[in-house]
Amino acid sequence: MAKRQGRTADWLQYNDNGSTTGPGYVTYSVVEHNNGRKERSAVSHITGDSGDDCVVNVTQNGRPLYVNFEGVQAPSGNPQDALYNVGNTAGNVSIHGKTNAKTLTFALGNNPTPDMVLTLDSSGYHQDENGTPQGSYIVNGNGPSGDPGEIGEWEFDMIVGYPANGDTTTKEATVVVTANGDSGVTPESATAYIVQAGGEGYVEICDTPTGTFGDEVSLTFNWDDDEDDGQNVYVQSNEQWEVSIN
Amino acid sequence: MSEHVNNWAKLEDHGNHGGNAFVTVFPSAVNWGRFDKPIANFYINGSNDECQITAEQEGHEFIEFEENLEPYEPNNIDYFHNVWEFFFESNSKYLSVSFAEGSHFALNDNRLLVDTDYDGTYVLYTLDASGEIEITDDPGQYDKYRVLVGLKFPQNNTGSDIADTLTIRGFSASGAQGQTLTISLVHKAAPVV
């Protein structure tokens, strides 16, 4: 007798192993992960020709609360973290992740490189490949309506703004997302590392500290000026510089 | 701290070598020449950026009294004195000396003594028919020189003070106004006995 296989639910399948009479066994297996926080159940019936019915209750546990950023492996080494490299001019980056949380809270991380002050969009939402928002908008600290995380995974994006990098060295700041689940469940977090490339080195000068800086300054001394009559030239730069006469 | 020298100009970096800071440029000395000092350039060099500081110092023409060599002032010469000497400084190419016509006073031997190095070594210049001299090689373009002037005159036995004006003009081109040094001379009359 051929094996019979079937589905009692989208996530559960069975295999009677060719047994249809007398003693035998049925194998139940799940065909997909349960990314939702809640367990899920399905019922299977083994019914004899006489109508005698046996019920098999199958339960798949839910996945523990989680949140992951998706991207390049972060320097932390934590699999839920991700690294985002950005250029030295001011702009925005969309940090993307997946979760089964009820709500998400975004916050700036501690100890950013000085002057790298990130800004967080007031709402985090998922966009498709065309940049079209999908689903409902999520305000920072809230979650999508209907708590889809109970039964599965959902995706999120947060728009992070960053300033121009006036230094020649790279800068780094982080965004931490905290996933909140059901009451009594310890929140989980993930960190997005925003690493900004250094800017090009520049040197500019001006004969006043608040004037227009540029590449050239001309100084004129009176005939009777000497070592006591110096004129200052102010330098603005983001790197090391040296004076030369050639 | 480092001082960078380019000809007549100096730049002090105050120990600054990066970021936002300032440097100071100054002349090493007064410019005693008629000509502007040649332009001096300094550069601030970054990894891929360079800035230029261009410095210049103006020149000027002058003639100026320096020192009286006698223990009496030119406007208070006792009757029995018959000489008066003094130094003046200038950077002109030409010098001219004039007195009023028929003056009581005159240049000793119609000459000026010029010391261009300030070392006590003089070159003798005799005034031409116009009362002028030209300084050889025109050192005044870039620096000043010292001139020793000696006046001679007879004792004043006229019974009256004798006054006159010595005018020395320094100029550097034909017809130029130049600069003028004017000295009032008074040879006092002998006291009445």
Side-chain angles (χ1 to χ4, degrees), chain A residues 221-226, chain B residues 8 27-38 57-66 88-93 116 118 138-146 172 179:
Chain A
F221 293 93
N222 296 326
W223 70 267
D224 57 351
D225 285 339
D226 59 15
Chain B
W8 58 271
S28 57
V30 170
N31 179 16
W32 288 111
R34 300 195 312 275
F35 290 5
D36 295 349
K37 291 286 189 182
Q57 186 176 25
E58 297 177 332
H60 80 302
E61 185 167 17
F62 80 102
I63 182 168
E64 190 173 292
F65 181 88
E66 183 190 4
F88 74 87
E89 293 178 306
S90 178
N91 61 3
S92 294
K93 184 175 181 181
T116 58
Y118 286 75
D138 192 11
Q141 294 175 92
Y142 305 111
D143 208 347
K144 63 180 180 179
Y145 52 82
R146 167 184 281 171
S172 299
Q179 303 293 316

Side-chain angles (χ1 to χ4, degrees), chain A residues 3 54 213 220 233 243:
Chain A
K3 293 180 183 177
C54 296
F213 281 72
T220 300
V233 175
V243 176

Side-chain angles (χ1 to χ4, degrees), chain B residues 60-124:
Chain B
H60 80 302
E61 185 167 17
F62 80 102
I63 182 168
E64 190 173 292
F65 181 88
E66 183 190 4
E67 183 181 359
N68 178 9
L69 298 181
E70 308 302 330
Y72 44 86
E73 293 301 314
N75 61 358
N76 191 27
I77 305 172
D78 284 328
Y79 75 98
F80 56 87
H81 290 302
N82 59 357
V83 296
W84 185 64
E85 294 179 307
F86 67 99
F87 286 118
F88 74 87
E89 293 178 306
S90 178
N91 61 3
S92 294
K93 184 175 181 181
Y94 305 94
L95 297 172
S96 71
V97 180
S98 63
F99 298 92
E101 188 171 347
S103 177
H104 172 70
F105 303 90
L107 272 183
N108 187 21
D109 292 334
N110 195 37
R111 69 182 186 187
L112 296 173
L113 299 174
V114 180
D115 179 2
T116 58
D117 297 322
Y118 286 75
D119 61 356
T121 303
Y122 294 91
V123 175
L124 189 154

Side-chain angles (χ1 to χ4, degrees), chain A residues 49-82:
Chain A
D49 290 339
S50 66
D52 195 7
D53 183 69
C54 296
V55 175
V56 179
N57 295 302
V58 181
T59 300
Q60 183 180 27
N61 293 328
R63 181 175 175 179
L65 177 66
Y66 73 96
V67 60
N68 299 322
F69 278 114
E70 293 201 327
V72 176
Q73 175 66 56
S76 63
N78 297 324
Q80 70 272 27
D81 300 340

Side-chain angles (χ1 to χ4, degrees), chain B residues 130-144:
Chain B
S130 301
E132 298 175 358
I133 64 171
E134 176 181 349
I135 310 299
T136 304
D137 296 331
D138 192 11
Q141 294 175 92
Y142 305 111
D143 208 347
K144 63 180 180 179

Side-chain angles (χ1 to χ4, degrees), chain A residues 129-175:
Chain A
E129 61 274 14
N130 297 318
T132 303
Q134 303 294 303
S136 58
Y137 284 75
I138 306 165
V139 175
N140 189 2
N142 290 341
S145 61
D147 192 6
E150 275 194 333
I151 61 172
E153 180 178 82
W154 56 277
E155 297 179 52
F156 65 89
D157 294 276
M158 169 56 77
I159 306 300
V160 180
Y162 51 88
N165 183 3
D167 296 337
T168 56
T169 54
T170 59
K171 292 186 175 180
E172 179 181 294
T174 56
V175 177

